[in-house]
Amino acid sequence: GGDGMKIGRAAIAGLCLGVAVLGLGAVEPPPAPDNPGRADAAPADPPAGQMLIASAQIQDPRFYHAVILILRHNQDGAFGIVINHPLADEPIAKLLAAAGDDDKTVEGTIAVLSGGPVQSELGFVVHSAEYHRPETMKVDGKVAMTASKQALEDIGHHNGPRKCFFAFGYAGWGAGQLEGELARRDWFTAPEDPALVFDADRGTVWDKALARRGTDL
């Protein structure tokens, strides 16, 4: 992360977000801090692109009524971003300025979400799949993720994706951990829906996603 983007806590007024790091080091984040995943590991079920929906029995405030978009899931673990824990809309110029990029030509704001409790110093741009850079993580042909400040610059110059949000932190599981939680029915699964990921009122996402969960659950 030394060559990444760092955003100081004091630079983002009202958001206790710690330090954000964007860059190549964040493109392939580990499923868990102590479990570096392999991108070429065998995929696992549910696959990337599915949504995890917290059951009502999860009372942990970090995951209460959470809906998580799985970005990667393989034999080494899983990695996803919570899509319904909003923080604020922030000017793109403010995020870039806090990262040391003093580009005053960028315009607009971006929705900032709490993406999960793991490594909240990392920042991710989750976006529609028509936009891609060399470092972009492809997910399922509908959504993708890019963890570089160049993505924010492109958005601020109107050259970015059609749909996007910015998330601090992620949700991570080690090998077999998510499977165990699914077996306990801590989570339901549902197919990913770009309308829920990007467009829906964040306060309605859990109810709408729950209505789409697998009927066998």
Side-chain angles (χ1 to χ4, degrees), residues 47 66 97 106 110 124 129 132 148 151 154 172 180 192:
V106 297
I110 189 169
F124 309 92
H132 58 87
S148 69
D154 285 347
E192 174 260 313

Side-chain angles (χ1 to χ4, degrees), residues 5 7 12 15 17 22 86-96 106-113 123-128 131 146 148-149 151-156 160-168 198 202:
M5 183 171 80
I7 300 176
I12 306 179
L15 300 181
L17 298 175
L22 277 80
L87 294 171
D89 287 349
E90 286 291 327
I92 295 168
K94 183 178 179 181
L95 292 172
L96 286 172
V106 297
E107 300 177 326
T109 62
I110 189 169
V112 178
L113 280 65
F124 309 92
V125 179
V126 179
H127 55 83
S128 46
Y131 173 85
T146 304
S148 69
K149 68 179 181 178
L152 285 177
E153 292 173 348
D154 285 347
I155 294 165
R162 289 193 298 267
K163 306 284 186 179
C164 62
F165 65 81
F166 184 88
F168 282 101
F198 298 113
R202 300 292 169 185

